Amino acid sequence: MAAATSFDDVLEWATASLAIASVAVAACLFGAFDSAYYMFSAGLIALASAVWLVRLWTNSQQRLLLLPIVWPLLLFLGYAIYRHQHSEIPYFSRIELAQTVVFALLGCLTVQNLQRQSVLKWGTAALVSVGVLLSAVAIFQCIRQSDTVFGATKSIIYRHRFGATFMNPNHLAGFLIPILSLSLSHLLLGRGGPKTRILYGYASVVILGGIGVTMSRAGWAGAAVTILCLGLWLARRPALRLPLAVGAVVLVGAVSFVLSNTKGAGARLDGLLDKGSKNSGYSRPWIWEPAWRMWNDHELLGVGAGQFDVHFPEYRPSVIQTAPEFVHNEYLNILVDYGAVGAVIALGGLVVAIWTVASGSKHMERGLSDLGTRGSNRTAFYVGAWAGLSGFAVQCIFEFDLHIPALALEVALVAGGLFSLMRYASERYWIRPHWALRIAITGAVIGAWWWTGPVVLRAAAENRRILDGTKGVKLRDVYLSNLRSALAIEPGNPNNYYLLGEGLRQLSWDGDENWRDYAGEAAEVLKKGTDINPHDSRMWLSLALTAGWLGDTNSASRYFDEASRRGGEDLTIANHHSWFRLQNGDPARAIELARQSTNWFIWGNWQPVYYISQAQAILDKQATNKNQ
């Protein structure tokens, strides 16, 4: 029995270690936002699933923790599968569904394998270590004022903001919020000697610094809510009130000093309500408004998982000329993608989760009389986890954190660890799995990976080809070869048709001797792309430009009209369409389109002004000739 128990301990530690490693790897590999990097974390979770299945069958005494949150989770997964089967563009919903399944598996693995306090203790230490490492890298980037992330140049909109391995600093802030909470709670509540507390103290300071240099206002708000939640909960303890008061004064003073003496931080707050400032906070509402209109047109079932960006062009306001990808509000994103039905299921799951955690609070700590004399890692994790997740939930009002794999995996891990503590709340959550249940669980896990694995691997291979293709944009043969390979791997991804078709069009416009062959292939590829995704206005634009270049003005005219109809207030489409009408003898229509463009946006939008002057000159000349 001792040997069997020892073997089971090894399996438990291995499963937990692989689960934690999946989060660490995702965070270090640029948040695993690219499928080529996400594959590694998914592989670790697949391996952890296999180890857990071995544990499930080799330990006859094992009990499973079956919490109420399982039922809304399964209901949402079932609904997501249904919506995927009826999705307009299955590729995007398939990717999102595969990620949702992986996140759910990680949460279940954590609930069942982070139950031993020693495992939870070292898992927390590992997570805090990752947070300290990333924070130190971000602070180092700040000191050097680096505009690159490990050699890759970050977007100009993130200059003087630092995200360590994350291209978007907001996502580093979101990743650090739960870790900051766990570090602070273990500093104040955890069991350990002075050295342990000193380490957690230093870790908390470094992580706070990491959140600070991201310049993420939503991250600052989330961290503030986390600290406030911790403070209010800890203030019930008489022994901690004085340290909390001193800490609050020091923290407020430090934050005030930084804001008043750091130009960048002060500007981020000062420009929040200034629409004309680069630090304006109005960019989020500018995305939320069309998202709300999109939901109003698809209230019950939504547009489908991963379909927001597909439909966005038709709702585009002039102030948003790029593809936002997501709603930048996780709650509204769920409403848009899954409709009222999905939102109700998600809300029900949230209510069940809060009720489960709240109902177990009295079992997570000793009586208040002796709280000041002895620490508890169980209490520390409980308080740190729910406070950190609360702060993370606040940031999700302004970000799409759950669509970044590293952050979603972290939430699954922390929430799973929190739910695993509910075993102390009631014996009714425990079940001993009989052979039929073990078979069902085994079949479900294997079936999930049987479907999810190929999706993840194909997406990784496709993404790697795209990354290699864009890097070799000046090497024509390499560029085309990689993009064709990506299209062959995922012919259901309309973006691949656009990348290849637009690349061929641009090569054709370069005037190469094979320009007609490039243009012909571009037209063929882009037409297939519009068949898969007729909502892509930029695809219609590229197709129109290609047809015009080939001299097929009738087709080009139809494609331009389609691009304008589907593009919303898209300046690029309006300007190109005006240019096309001007070149093809329709100056009145050219003026109409150009004026529409200038009405949408005038600053720096000089092209339509020029088209108006040219078209008006043509009309004046025609009028003069007619009078003569």
Side-chain angles (χ1 to χ4, degrees):
M1 180 63 71
T5 302
S6 176
F7 180 63
D8 185 70
D9 289 346
V10 171
L11 294 178
E12 181 182 5
W13 274 93
T15 306
S17 299
L18 289 168
I20 296 166
S22 70
V23 177
V25 168
C28 293
L29 292 178
F30 307 98
F33 187 68
D34 292 326
S35 300
Y37 300 125
Y38 171 68
M39 172 185 68
F40 295 103
S41 291
L44 290 171
I45 297 171
L47 185 57
S49 302
V51 174
W52 179 59
L53 289 180
V54 173
R55 186 180 180 218
L56 181 67
W57 283 98
T58 56
N59 184 0
S60 59
Q61 302 302 314
Q62 183 180 173
R63 296 190 299 170
L64 298 180
L65 190 60
L66 186 63
L67 296 167
I69 189 62
V70 168
W71 308 117
L73 176 62
L74 291 177
L75 182 60
F76 187 84
L77 282 174
Y79 176 69
I81 293 171
Y82 167 78
R83 290 298 291 127
H84 166 62
Q85 292 174 338
H86 296 83
S87 175
E88 185 175 3
I89 303 177
Y91 171 82
F92 298 117
S93 61
R94 182 167 64 247
I95 294 294
E96 185 153 323
L97 177 59
Q99 291 187 349
T100 302
V101 170
V102 172
F103 302 153
L105 279 172
L106 178 61
C108 293
L109 288 172
T110 306
V111 169
Q112 304 303 331
N113 293 276
L114 258 71
Q115 297 175 355
R116 197 184 301 270
Q117 291 215 35
S118 57
V119 177
L120 203 59
K121 171 186 174 182
W122 290 109
T124 301
L127 200 58
V128 171
S129 298
V130 173
V132 170
L133 175 63
L134 294 180
S135 298
V137 172
I139 293 170
F140 181 72
Q141 290 172 339
C142 178
I143 294 172
R144 294 191 60 190
Q145 289 294 298
S146 173
D147 288 326
T148 62
V149 177
F150 292 101
T153 303
K154 61 187 178 185
S155 172
I156 192 172
I157 64 174
Y158 301 130
R159 288 192 64 187
H160 307 303
R161 300 178 57 197
F162 309 96
T165 55
F166 292 83
M167 298 302 289
N168 184 339
N170 298 332
H171 299 149
L172 174 63
F175 183 80
L176 293 177
I177 287 171
I179 299 178
L180 170 66
S181 185
L182 289 171
S183 182
L184 287 172
S185 64
H186 280 74
L187 166 66
L188 297 169
L189 298 172
R191 179 180 298 178
K195 291 183 179 179
T196 301
R197 295 187 185 279
I198 289 172
L199 288 174
Y200 275 119
Y202 278 123
S204 301
V205 172
V206 174
I207 294 170
L208 269 172
I211 294 175
V213 299
T214 64
M215 300 294 172
S216 169
R217 292 165 298 199
W220 294 346
V225 169
T226 290
I227 294 171
L228 180 62
C229 289
L230 282 171
L232 292 176
W233 196 91
L234 294 170
R236 302 178 307 147
R237 302 184 169 204
L240 292 177
R241 288 173 186 169
L242 181 59
L244 284 173
V246 174
V249 171
V250 172
L251 181 60
V252 170
V255 170
S256 300
F257 177 81
V258 170
L259 291 177
S260 60
N261 291 276
T262 305
K263 183 178 179 181
R268 290 286 291 168
L269 293 180
D270 293 340
L272 182 62
L273 300 179
D274 183 359
K275 290 184 179 181
S277 169
K278 68 176 182 179
N279 293 311
S280 172
Y282 284 91
S283 59
R284 299 298 193 273
W286 286 334
I287 299 174
W288 297 344
E289 190 275 332
W292 185 259
R293 287 192 286 118
M294 192 184 300
W295 173 71
N296 283 331
D297 292 339
H298 307 82
E299 289 182 340
L300 187 61
L301 300 179
V303 296
Q307 310 290 309
F308 165 74
D309 207 44
V310 171
H311 291 267
F312 179 79
E314 298 170 26
Y315 299 84
R316 181 192 305 278
S318 61
V319 291
I320 303 292
Q321 290 299 305
T322 57
E325 294 189 74
F326 306 104
V327 179
H328 290 69
N329 178 311
E330 283 293 354
Y331 311 103
L332 184 54
N333 212 136
I334 291 174
L335 189 63
V336 171
D337 280 1
Y338 294 98
V341 174
V344 168
I345 296 173
L347 180 61
L350 182 61
V351 170
V352 170
I354 293 174
W355 173 82
T356 302
V357 172
S359 64
S361 63
K362 61 183 178 181
H363 302 281
M364 294 302 114
E365 60 177 339
R366 302 178 181 89
L368 290 176
S369 61
D370 61 355
L371 287 177
T373 60
R374 189 178 180 189
S376 168
N377 290 330
R378 180 179 72 190
T379 304
F381 191 92
Y382 172 80
V383 178
W386 73 255
L389 293 175
S390 298
F392 183 88
V394 169
Q395 196 195 21
C396 283
I397 298 174
F398 308 97
E399 289 298 334
F400 50 95
D401 285 349
L402 293 179
H403 286 85
I404 305 301
L407 276 67
L409 291 173
E410 178 196 35
V411 168
L413 184 72
V414 174
L418 177 60
F419 286 129
S420 74
L421 294 176
M422 295 304 108
R423 66 189 182 277
Y424 297 107
S426 175
E427 282 291 323
R428 70 177 182 274
Y429 296 141
W430 288 106
I431 62 169
R432 194 174 299 278
H434 49 74
W435 64 269
L437 181 57
R438 296 182 191 216
I439 291 175
I441 292 173
T442 302
V445 173
I446 293 176
W449 282 112
W450 185 267
W451 180 83
T452 302
V455 174
V456 173
L457 292 174
R458 283 201 310 272
E462 172 200 23
N463 191 256
R464 175 49 57 190
R465 299 301 191 283
I466 293 172
L467 290 175
D468 291 343
T470 53
K471 287 177 182 176
V473 68
K474 294 183 179 180
L475 303 175
R476 182 170 301 176
D477 294 337
V478 174
Y479 172 66
L480 294 177
S481 175
N482 280 305
L483 293 183
R484 288 190 179 109
S485 296
L487 181 58
I489 292 169
E490 276 294 0
N493 183 359
N495 292 339
N496 288 337
Y497 292 90
Y498 175 75
L499 288 173
L500 178 58
E502 177 64 9
L504 288 164
R505 183 193 71 77
Q506 291 181 12
L507 290 174
S508 176
W509 279 35
D510 286 345
D512 188 276
E513 61 180 6
N514 297 319
W515 70 269
R516 185 171 290 276
D517 293 334
Y518 286 134
E521 185 182 357
E524 181 181 351
V525 170
L526 291 166
K527 190 64 179 69
K528 290 180 180 178
T530 59
D531 291 338
I532 295 176
N533 180 15
H535 303 283
D536 192 337
S537 57
R538 295 293 175 96
M539 188 113 68
W540 286 108
L541 173 61
S542 185
L543 184 58
L545 293 171
T546 303
W549 181 244
L550 287 170
D552 187 356
T553 55
N554 290 331
S555 294
S557 179
R558 294 198 311 272
Y559 297 149
F560 268 116
D561 286 338
E562 192 68 18
S564 294
R565 185 175 73 85
R566 294 185 178 277
E569 298 178 353
D570 192 311
L571 301 181
T572 301
I573 293 175
N575 292 345
H576 277 91
H577 196 177
S578 176
W579 167 82
F580 173 78
R581 295 299 176 185
L582 179 62
Q583 297 297 316
N584 288 275
D586 191 356
R589 178 63 172 153
I591 289 175
E592 178 185 350
L593 291 164
R595 285 179 176 166
Q596 188 179 57
S597 177
T598 56
N599 289 336
W600 288 339
F601 202 84
I602 186 60
W603 298 110
N605 191 17
W606 59 268
Q607 289 175 309
V609 177
Y610 174 74
Y611 299 153
I612 290 172
S613 66
Q614 293 295 305
Q616 190 61 54
I618 294 173
L619 289 175
D620 292 343
K621 184 176 181 180
Q622 290 176 349
T624 300
N625 292 337
K626 184 177 180 180
N627 291 332
Q628 292 177 349

